[in-house]
Amino acid sequence: MKNVLAVILGGGQGSRLFPLTKYRAKPAVPVGGKFRLIDIPMSNCIHWDIKKIYVLTQFHTVSLHKHIFNTYKFDRFSTGFVQILSAQETLEGRDWYQGTADAVRKNINFIKNQKVDVVVILSGDQLFRLNLKEFVKFHLEKKSEISIASTPVARESTGNFGILKINKEQKIIDFEEKPQNREILDKLEIPAEIINMPGRERLNHPFLASMGIYIFNKDVLIDLLEKNQEEDFGKQIIPASIKNHRVYTYVFTGYWEDIGTIRAFFEANLDFANPVPKFNFYDEHNPIYTNARFLPGSKIKNCEINHALICEGSILEGSKISNAVIGIRAITKEGSTLDHVVMMGSDYYGDAPTIDTSKMGIGKNCYIRNAILDKNVRVGDNVVIDYKGPEKEIETELYHIIDGIVVVPKNSFIPANTRIE
């Protein structure tokens, strides 16, 4: 794995996750109460001994850069590094990254200078646990030039992904980005003899979707990006490479979620509070790493809590909390109810040395349901957030409603007695 370089794509504007991306890059969005999305690909790399990592960033980068610098530091006796490559003006161009391939192309000189044979390209905004060592082994054993991680999906989901067609050797023979045509889909459906192939786990759906995770031979990647000026791997570079290169797929049947929408983000977070979540943060052999904050344990006084994930440093008093994720330094006061809520907590407590919680967190006698409260959100007393209207997008100065979910942006204040119904 010393001959492997990882390139993590930091994402663009992240408009589908707005307003969570109003002040931060998509990979910097908090997830699971105490982590950030970037921690997922970073931890996957570290677990499988990939210690040469570039992170490509360009949009609202400050919090993402700060988190990476504070969290990921390899010792000076190894050859490992984590280096951020931000979009910048150069003699070759002054444009921002125009797509996944364009982002890598604009940093190709950094890749050329690394003494590696293989480049793994990862997304910075997905939930997954993928054995990258096995993926690289598959790539080498197949003598593949380009390998794509794929996952089985149902027909009704194919319009959201790049769909692959493979032969018995798992070589990709066709690729369509987000196919909508029924006839095209029929041609991409996996034959029964491949679905039930002996010696391999049976696929639970008849289509294979690209996960946006790629392995390239270094020389092939450089050649493709220098000869082809297209902007995106999934839409352009890879489909055009199938005829002239050895392109294989590594089929992954574990949990993978591209949490690119508010609804997907909300549901994925609430699932963490289940006894057996789909994505398990409690794997002691492969933990998810994040910034060590050295916070005290949570204080809970006279609360009713059911199906909730409570992070460290929280102060919860006289509240009813169910189906919720409560982030670090979260504060709730007497008489308040939280049901199906993702509360990201706070970056600070208040005025030290005496912690004054009177102006922090959620006030007294509030009822909050189906909501995402971003970092440092303050809610006054007697506030009701329980939207039951149609699932249309609503934007106000105080909050947004997206997919029927009320999203309160970072650093916002909801005045006392406000009703969002």
Side-chain angles (χ1 to χ4, degrees), residues 114-129:
Q114 290 300 320
K115 295 180 180 180
V116 298
D117 300 322
V118 170
V119 179
V120 179
I121 297 178
L122 301 165
S123 173
D125 52 17
Q126 298 176 345
L127 280 177
F128 66 97
R129 286 184 185 274

Side-chain angles (χ1 to χ4, degrees), residues 30-33 265-270 323-327 338-345 368 370-374 406:
V31 64
F265 177 85
F266 184 66
E267 292 179 350
N269 271 270
L270 292 185
N323 298 295
V325 173
I326 307 299
L338 282 70
D339 180 19
H340 288 81
V341 171
V342 176
M343 183 181 181
M344 294 184 182
I368 302 175
N370 284 340
I372 299 174
L373 309 181
D374 206 337
V406 178

Side-chain angles (χ1 to χ4, degrees), residues 27-293:
V29 172
V31 64
K34 60 180 290 184
F35 304 94
R36 293 179 185 257
L37 284 173
I38 190 66
D39 293 329
I40 309 302
M42 289 294 301
S43 298
N44 273 274
C45 288
I46 293 169
H47 291 322
W48 308 115
D49 295 326
I50 299 177
K51 299 293 180 65
K52 298 176 181 178
I53 304 170
Y54 287 137
V55 183
L56 277 51
T57 67
Q58 73 171 352
F59 184 82
H60 277 330
T61 60
V62 174
S63 61
L64 178 59
H65 290 187
K66 181 180 178 181
H67 178 75
I68 292 173
F69 281 129
N70 288 341
T71 307
Y72 300 102
K73 299 174 183 178
F74 298 142
D75 68 78
R76 66 181 64 187
F77 302 107
S78 74
T79 58
F81 62 84
V82 177
Q83 187 170 343
I84 295 171
L85 303 178
S86 292
Q88 58 185 328
E89 289 187 7
T90 66
L91 294 175
E92 289 77 24
R94 298 185 178 183
D95 296 328
W96 277 26
Y97 302 148
Q98 302 300 308
T100 54
D102 185 64
V104 177
R105 182 186 296 109
K106 285 176 176 166
N107 293 286
I108 202 68
N109 287 332
F110 295 100
I111 296 173
K112 287 180 179 179
N113 291 334
Q114 290 300 320
K115 295 180 180 180
V116 298
D117 300 322
V118 170
V119 179
V120 179
I121 297 178
L122 301 165
S123 173
D125 52 17
Q126 298 176 345
L127 280 177
F128 66 97
R129 286 184 185 274
L130 175 62
N131 188 325
L132 295 176
K133 186 175 288 188
E134 288 296 322
F135 189 13
V136 171
K137 180 181 177 182
F138 170 89
H139 176 83
L140 298 175
E141 287 179 348
K142 291 291 185 180
K143 297 181 179 179
S144 178
E145 294 175 299
I146 306 170
S147 295
I148 304 173
S150 64
T151 189
V153 295
R155 177 181 283 266
E156 56 268 22
S157 301
T158 53
N160 300 317
F161 305 103
I163 304 299
L164 322 171
K165 184 174 183 179
I166 62 173
N167 62 18
K168 291 183 179 180
E169 285 71 43
Q170 293 181 223
K171 188 175 188 294
I172 299 174
I173 57 178
D174 199 2
F175 185 103
E176 289 284 342
E177 181 71 13
K178 298 181 179 179
Q180 306 294 330
N181 186 292
R182 183 185 180 91
E183 293 181 2
I184 294 176
L185 271 178
D186 289 341
K187 293 178 181 178
L188 295 171
E189 189 168 356
I190 304 170
E193 60 267 23
I194 295 179
I195 290 179
N196 301 306
M197 191 179 295
R200 191 183 65 192
E201 184 178 353
R202 186 183 187 279
L203 304 182
N204 56 353
H205 293 297
F207 295 92
L208 285 176
S210 169
M211 295 166 59
I213 300 174
Y214 314 113
I215 293 180
F216 287 85
N217 288 349
K218 177 184 169 183
D219 56 344
V220 172
L221 176 64
I222 293 169
D223 183 65
L224 284 173
L225 293 181
E226 290 184 340
K227 290 182 178 179
N228 188 336
Q229 295 302 307
E230 300 288 1
E231 298 171 348
D232 195 83
F233 283 120
K235 294 178 182 178
Q236 297 151 332
I237 298 291
I238 290 176
S241 303
I242 291 173
K243 291 182 180 179
N244 302 318
H245 293 82
R246 293 176 60 83
V247 185
Y248 286 79
T249 187
Y250 177 83
V251 180
F252 176 69
T253 55
Y255 177 76
W256 171 80
E257 184 68 47
D258 180 6
I259 48 178
T261 66
I262 290 294
R263 170 60 66 180
F265 177 85
F266 184 66
E267 292 179 350
N269 271 270
L270 292 185
D271 182 66
F272 299 144
N274 287 327
V276 184
K278 297 174 184 175
F279 185 88
N280 182 17
F281 281 109
Y282 293 86
D283 185 345
E284 62 185 67
H285 301 292
N286 297 294
I288 300 300
Y289 301 108
T290 193
N291 184 22
R293 299 178 179 88

